[in-house]
Amino acid sequence: MSGAHRPRRQRHPAAHLPRGWRIFFIVSGWVLLVFGIALLPLPGPGALVIGFGAALLSLASESAYWALRWAFQRWPRGWRRLERARRTIFRKIVGPNAAP
């Protein structure tokens, strides 16, 4: 299967977040995921809330990061936007000189 593309491994900033922020992102990500699942019967907002919850969770969880990256394989532009937003949030929390 020459067309199969595996995302390459790269460093992930979650390990370097302060403990309080990691806890905040994990709890808020799971709350938004559960809330999004509850909203799925409504047209529209459920999928958006699930996506936002997964993005927050991916800031603190390596597994969530790779799952989200796998989910965005079909949409590389969307992944680049999401990754840029994640790096911006990370730099605002840790500082501008921190390596992402």
Side-chain angles (χ1 to χ4, degrees), residues 8-14 54 57-71 79 83 86-87:
R8 68 186 166 108
R9 288 281 190 195
Q10 63 187 23
R11 282 186 43 198
H12 181 261
L57 192 59
S58 74
L59 280 166
S61 169
E62 186 85 21
S63 300
Y65 172 81
W66 289 108
L68 197 59
R69 186 165 178 161
W70 175 82
W79 173 253
E83 186 66 23
R86 291 176 71 258
R87 288 174 192 250

Side-chain angles (χ1 to χ4, degrees), residues 3-22:
H5 177 353
R6 266 188 79 180
R8 68 186 166 108
R9 288 281 190 195
Q10 63 187 23
R11 282 186 43 198
H12 181 261
H16 305 293
L17 282 174
R19 185 181 309 240
W21 282 107
R22 282 180 55 97

Side-chain angles (χ1 to χ4, degrees), residues 1-55:
M1 231 179 177
S2 63
H5 177 353
R6 266 188 79 180
R8 68 186 166 108
R9 288 281 190 195
Q10 63 187 23
R11 282 186 43 198
H12 181 261
H16 305 293
L17 282 174
R19 185 181 309 240
W21 282 107
R22 282 180 55 97
I23 292 170
F24 170 75
F25 285 131
I26 289 171
V27 169
S28 61
W30 277 110
V31 166
L32 284 175
L33 281 173
V34 170
F35 187 62
I37 291 170
L39 287 177
L40 277 177
L42 298 175
L48 186 63
V49 173
I50 288 174
F52 189 63

Side-chain angles (χ1 to χ4, degrees), residues 83-95:
E83 186 66 23
R84 191 176 323 122
R86 291 176 71 258
R87 288 174 192 250
T88 302
I89 291 169
F90 177 77
R91 286 193 178 111
K92 285 186 187 233
I93 292 170
V94 178

